[in-house]
Amino acid sequence: MDSMKRHSRKIRFAIVCTLLLAMSLTVAAQQRLVVVGGGKRPPAAMSKFVEWAGGRAAKILVIPWATSEPESSFEYLRKDFAELGPESIVLAPVAPLTAEKKNVFLSQLNDATGVFFTGGDQVKTMDV
């Protein structure tokens, strides 16, 4: 039964991720998804992500809820993304989300042209 719950959470997570990306990563009326799983992020995938998010005009929102080290994970990603030249790279509020943090997050999400989820335990993202 525990594995059924875990599987169900993974499916819900995938749906939520897809919906968030569909809302925020819109380029020329097309929605795109770049999936990078585990390990080193391929430079070509990162470059394509920034390109699809708007290139130099890209506004990237990093959601760190899956990692136990959100700030250091963000700094690492910020350096990688900065080399690709987007307009901005911002960190979503760290969990747990209070009412104020939720408002900040929704504002960030509305402004973002690309959303990047950090690595880690993605079940934590579902919990948020």
Side-chain angles (χ1 to χ4, degrees), residues 51-65:
E51 176 189 327
W52 284 348
R56 296 247 178 238
K59 297 177 181 179
I60 298 172
L61 174 61
V62 176
I63 299 178
W65 302 332

PDB file of all heavy atoms in Angstrom, residues 51-65:
ATOM      1  N   GLU A  51      16.719  29.507 -23.887  1.00  0.00           N
ATOM      2  CA  GLU A  51      16.251  29.974 -25.195  1.00  0.00           C
ATOM      3  C   GLU A  51      14.723  29.962 -25.260  1.00  0.00           C
ATOM      4  O   GLU A  51      14.098  30.942 -25.648  1.00  0.00           O
ATOM      5  CB  GLU A  51      16.826  29.074 -26.299  1.00  0.00           C
ATOM      6  CG  GLU A  51      16.336  29.409 -27.691  1.00  0.00           C
ATOM      7  CD  GLU A  51      16.757  28.368 -28.720  1.00  0.00           C
ATOM      8  OE1 GLU A  51      17.850  27.782 -28.579  1.00  0.00           O
ATOM      9  OE2 GLU A  51      15.986  28.146 -29.669  1.00  0.00           O
ATOM     10  N   TRP A  52      14.125  28.849 -24.881  1.00  0.00           N
ATOM     11  CA  TRP A  52      12.670  28.728 -24.927  1.00  0.00           C
ATOM     12  C   TRP A  52      11.980  29.642 -23.924  1.00  0.00           C
ATOM     13  O   TRP A  52      10.833  30.027 -24.110  1.00  0.00           O
ATOM     14  CB  TRP A  52      12.246  27.292 -24.695  1.00  0.00           C
ATOM     15  CG  TRP A  52      12.459  26.392 -25.880  1.00  0.00           C
ATOM     16  CD1 TRP A  52      12.754  26.766 -27.167  1.00  0.00           C
ATOM     17  CD2 TRP A  52      12.391  24.976 -25.890  1.00  0.00           C
ATOM     18  NE1 TRP A  52      12.876  25.665 -27.964  1.00  0.00           N
ATOM     19  CE2 TRP A  52      12.654  24.546 -27.210  1.00  0.00           C
ATOM     20  CE3 TRP A  52      12.146  24.020 -24.913  1.00  0.00           C
ATOM     21  CZ2 TRP A  52      12.652  23.211 -27.583  1.00  0.00           C
ATOM     22  CZ3 TRP A  52      12.155  22.685 -25.279  1.00  0.00           C
ATOM     23  CH2 TRP A  52      12.402  22.283 -26.598  1.00  0.00           C
ATOM     24  N   ALA A  53      12.671  29.978 -22.851  1.00  0.00           N
ATOM     25  CA  ALA A  53      12.094  30.871 -21.843  1.00  0.00           C
ATOM     26  C   ALA A  53      12.195  32.338 -22.259  1.00  0.00           C
ATOM     27  O   ALA A  53      11.683  33.205 -21.566  1.00  0.00           O
ATOM     28  CB  ALA A  53      12.784  30.660 -20.497  1.00  0.00           C
ATOM     29  N   GLY A  54      12.878  32.600 -23.372  1.00  0.00           N
ATOM     30  CA  GLY A  54      12.946  33.972 -23.852  1.00  0.00           C
ATOM     31  C   GLY A  54      14.350  34.489 -24.107  1.00  0.00           C
ATOM     32  O   GLY A  54      14.530  35.682 -24.361  1.00  0.00           O
ATOM     33  N   GLY A  55      15.350  33.633 -23.978  1.00  0.00           N
ATOM     34  CA  GLY A  55      16.732  34.058 -24.226  1.00  0.00           C
ATOM     35  C   GLY A  55      17.161  35.151 -23.264  1.00  0.00           C
ATOM     36  O   GLY A  55      17.009  35.019 -22.053  1.00  0.00           O
ATOM     37  N   ARG A  56      17.658  36.254 -23.796  1.00  0.00           N
ATOM     38  CA  ARG A  56      18.125  37.368 -22.954  1.00  0.00           C
ATOM     39  C   ARG A  56      16.979  38.009 -22.170  1.00  0.00           C
ATOM     40  O   ARG A  56      17.211  38.641 -21.153  1.00  0.00           O
ATOM     41  CB  ARG A  56      18.844  38.402 -23.789  1.00  0.00           C
ATOM     42  CG  ARG A  56      20.110  37.874 -24.420  1.00  0.00           C
ATOM     43  CD  ARG A  56      21.312  38.559 -23.835  1.00  0.00           C
ATOM     44  NE  ARG A  56      22.531  38.000 -24.413  1.00  0.00           N
ATOM     45  CZ  ARG A  56      23.473  37.457 -23.680  1.00  0.00           C
ATOM     46  NH1 ARG A  56      23.360  37.381 -22.380  1.00  0.00           N
ATOM     47  NH2 ARG A  56      24.557  36.977 -24.254  1.00  0.00           N
ATOM     48  N   ALA A  57      15.747  37.844 -22.628  1.00  0.00           N
ATOM     49  CA  ALA A  57      14.585  38.397 -21.928  1.00  0.00           C
ATOM     50  C   ALA A  57      13.972  37.401 -20.933  1.00  0.00           C
ATOM     51  O   ALA A  57      12.979  37.714 -20.274  1.00  0.00           O
ATOM     52  CB  ALA A  57      13.522  38.828 -22.944  1.00  0.00           C
ATOM     53  N   ALA A  58      14.580  36.224 -20.818  1.00  0.00           N
ATOM     54  CA  ALA A  58      14.036  35.172 -19.938  1.00  0.00           C
ATOM     55  C   ALA A  58      14.031  35.610 -18.478  1.00  0.00           C
ATOM     56  O   ALA A  58      14.975  36.227 -17.998  1.00  0.00           O
ATOM     57  CB  ALA A  58      14.842  33.886 -20.094  1.00  0.00           C
ATOM     58  N   LYS A  59      12.949  35.260 -17.803  1.00  0.00           N
ATOM     59  CA  LYS A  59      12.811  35.482 -16.358  1.00  0.00           C
ATOM     60  C   LYS A  59      12.598  34.106 -15.740  1.00  0.00           C
ATOM     61  O   LYS A  59      11.505  33.540 -15.833  1.00  0.00           O
ATOM     62  CB  LYS A  59      11.640  36.411 -16.069  1.00  0.00           C
ATOM     63  CG  LYS A  59      11.834  37.796 -16.654  1.00  0.00           C
ATOM     64  CD  LYS A  59      10.617  38.653 -16.406  1.00  0.00           C
ATOM     65  CE  LYS A  59      10.808  40.028 -17.025  1.00  0.00           C
ATOM     66  NZ  LYS A  59       9.626  40.871 -16.821  1.00  0.00           N
ATOM     67  N   ILE A  60      13.645  33.600 -15.124  1.00  0.00           N
ATOM     68  CA  ILE A  60      13.627  32.225 -14.629  1.00  0.00           C
ATOM     69  C   ILE A  60      13.323  32.191 -13.143  1.00  0.00           C
ATOM     70  O   ILE A  60      13.963  32.879 -12.355  1.00  0.00           O
ATOM     71  CB  ILE A  60      14.971  31.532 -14.932  1.00  0.00           C
ATOM     72  CG1 ILE A  60      15.170  31.480 -16.438  1.00  0.00           C
ATOM     73  CG2 ILE A  60      15.013  30.137 -14.313  1.00  0.00           C
ATOM     74  CD1 ILE A  60      16.525  31.001 -16.873  1.00  0.00           C
ATOM     75  N   LEU A  61      12.348  31.380 -12.789  1.00  0.00           N
ATOM     76  CA  LEU A  61      11.973  31.154 -11.392  1.00  0.00           C
ATOM     77  C   LEU A  61      12.467  29.766 -11.005  1.00  0.00           C
ATOM     78  O   LEU A  61      12.118  28.774 -11.643  1.00  0.00           O
ATOM     79  CB  LEU A  61      10.458  31.239 -11.225  1.00  0.00           C
ATOM     80  CG  LEU A  61       9.902  30.896  -9.848  1.00  0.00           C
ATOM     81  CD1 LEU A  61      10.440  31.853  -8.779  1.00  0.00           C
ATOM     82  CD2 LEU A  61       8.380  30.912  -9.872  1.00  0.00           C
ATOM     83  N   VAL A  62      13.289  29.701  -9.962  1.00  0.00           N
ATOM     84  CA  VAL A  62      13.821  28.428  -9.470  1.00  0.00           C
ATOM     85  C   VAL A  62      13.011  28.017  -8.244  1.00  0.00           C
ATOM     86  O   VAL A  62      12.933  28.765  -7.264  1.00  0.00           O
ATOM     87  CB  VAL A  62      15.320  28.544  -9.123  1.00  0.00           C
ATOM     88  CG1 VAL A  62      15.835  27.241  -8.520  1.00  0.00           C
ATOM     89  CG2 VAL A  62      16.133  28.929 -10.358  1.00  0.00           C
ATOM     90  N   ILE A  63      12.413  26.835  -8.310  1.00  0.00           N
ATOM     91  CA  ILE A  63      11.613  26.310  -7.199  1.00  0.00           C
ATOM     92  C   ILE A  63      12.448  25.242  -6.495  1.00  0.00           C
ATOM     93  O   ILE A  63      12.724  24.190  -7.062  1.00  0.00           O
ATOM     94  CB  ILE A  63      10.272  25.744  -7.696  1.00  0.00           C
ATOM     95  CG1 ILE A  63       9.467  26.869  -8.354  1.00  0.00           C
ATOM     96  CG2 ILE A  63       9.498  25.107  -6.540  1.00  0.00           C
ATOM     97  CD1 ILE A  63       8.148  26.440  -8.930  1.00  0.00           C
ATOM     98  N   PRO A  64      12.843  25.505  -5.219  1.00  0.00           N
ATOM     99  CA  PRO A  64      13.804  24.652  -4.517  1.00  0.00           C
ATOM    100  C   PRO A  64      13.198  23.666  -3.522  1.00  0.00           C
ATOM    101  O   PRO A  64      13.898  23.175  -2.651  1.00  0.00           O
ATOM    102  CB  PRO A  64      14.624  25.692  -3.752  1.00  0.00           C
ATOM    103  CG  PRO A  64      13.575  26.670  -3.304  1.00  0.00           C
ATOM    104  CD  PRO A  64      12.622  26.758  -4.491  1.00  0.00           C
ATOM    105  N   TRP A  65      11.935  23.373  -3.632  1.00  0.00           N
ATOM    106  CA  TRP A  65      11.250  22.654  -2.565  1.00  0.00           C
ATOM    107  C   TRP A  65      11.687  21.208  -2.402  1.00  0.00           C
ATOM    108  O   TRP A  65      11.453  20.604  -1.364  1.00  0.00           O
ATOM    109  CB  TRP A  65       9.744  22.735  -2.761  1.00  0.00           C
ATOM    110  CG  TRP A  65       9.227  24.147  -2.794  1.00  0.00           C
ATOM    111  CD1 TRP A  65       9.789  25.243  -2.174  1.00  0.00           C
ATOM    112  CD2 TRP A  65       8.096  24.627  -3.479  1.00  0.00           C
ATOM    113  NE1 TRP A  65       9.057  26.374  -2.441  1.00  0.00           N
ATOM    114  CE2 TRP A  65       7.998  26.023  -3.245  1.00  0.00           C
ATOM    115  CE3 TRP A  65       7.128  24.030  -4.279  1.00  0.00           C
ATOM    116  CZ2 TRP A  65       6.993  26.815  -3.768  1.00  0.00           C
ATOM    117  CZ3 TRP A  65       6.116  24.817  -4.805  1.00  0.00           C
ATOM    118  CH2 TRP A  65       6.052  26.191  -4.550  1.00  0.00           C
TER     119      TRP A  65
END
